[in-house]
Amino acid sequence: VPVSRWGDESDEDKEPKEPVRTKEEEEWILKAEKAKKEEEEAKLKEIKRLEEIEKAKEALQRKKRNAEKAQQRALYKAQKEAEQKEK
């Protein structure tokens, strides 16, 4: 077992240590993390909102197309009935 002498560096000193943070620094870091998390949540909410708007637009377009098809079918049916009556 080697004997340590005055001025010798111990193994503990060789390992890089994380700097000690003050209470204010810890609070600042927590606030920054909280703000970042809130910002990410807001972005996700906005993306979800935009997706919902897009889904609603697509649903409205589908309804319009279906209504147009139904109207065309009704016109075609009416024409066929009119032709049958003429005969």
Side-chain angles (χ1 to χ4, degrees), residues 43-54:
K43 285 180 183 179
L44 288 174
K45 273 186 176 181
E46 181 66 14
I47 289 170
K48 191 172 183 177
R49 186 182 75 81
L50 293 174
E51 287 174 351
E52 291 295 323
I53 290 171
E54 186 64 29

Side-chain angles (χ1 to χ4, degrees), residues 39-71:
E39 184 178 325
E40 288 175 1
E41 287 175 1
K43 285 180 183 179
L44 288 174
K45 273 186 176 181
E46 181 66 14
I47 289 170
K48 191 172 183 177
R49 186 182 75 81
L50 293 174
E51 287 174 351
E52 291 295 323
I53 290 171
E54 186 64 29
K55 284 181 186 179
K57 285 180 182 178
E58 288 173 1
L60 187 60
Q61 288 174 349
R62 259 192 321 275
K63 285 182 183 181
K64 277 185 176 181
R65 283 193 307 267
N66 290 340
E68 288 174 359
K69 286 180 183 179
Q71 186 178 14

Side-chain angles (χ1 to χ4, degrees), residues 1-80:
V1 177
V3 178
S4 62
R5 291 183 281 161
W6 180 264
D8 288 345
E9 291 185 28
S10 66
D11 290 337
E12 294 173 5
D13 292 341
K14 292 180 183 177
E15 295 177 18
K17 292 185 180 179
E18 192 173 310
V20 180
R21 295 181 181 148
T22 65
K23 188 174 182 179
E24 290 175 350
E25 289 174 328
E26 287 291 332
E27 289 176 5
W28 185 82
I29 290 170
L30 289 174
K31 285 180 183 179
E33 288 174 356
K34 185 178 178 182
K36 184 177 179 180
K37 185 177 178 180
E38 288 175 355
E39 184 178 325
E40 288 175 1
E41 287 175 1
K43 285 180 183 179
L44 288 174
K45 273 186 176 181
E46 181 66 14
I47 289 170
K48 191 172 183 177
R49 186 182 75 81
L50 293 174
E51 287 174 351
E52 291 295 323
I53 290 171
E54 186 64 29
K55 284 181 186 179
K57 285 180 182 178
E58 288 173 1
L60 187 60
Q61 288 174 349
R62 259 192 321 275
K63 285 182 183 181
K64 277 185 176 181
R65 283 193 307 267
N66 290 340
E68 288 174 359
K69 286 180 183 179
Q71 186 178 14
Q72 289 174 353
R73 277 187 239 119
L75 287 173
Y76 180 76
K77 187 177 178 180
Q79 286 176 349
K80 286 293 183 180

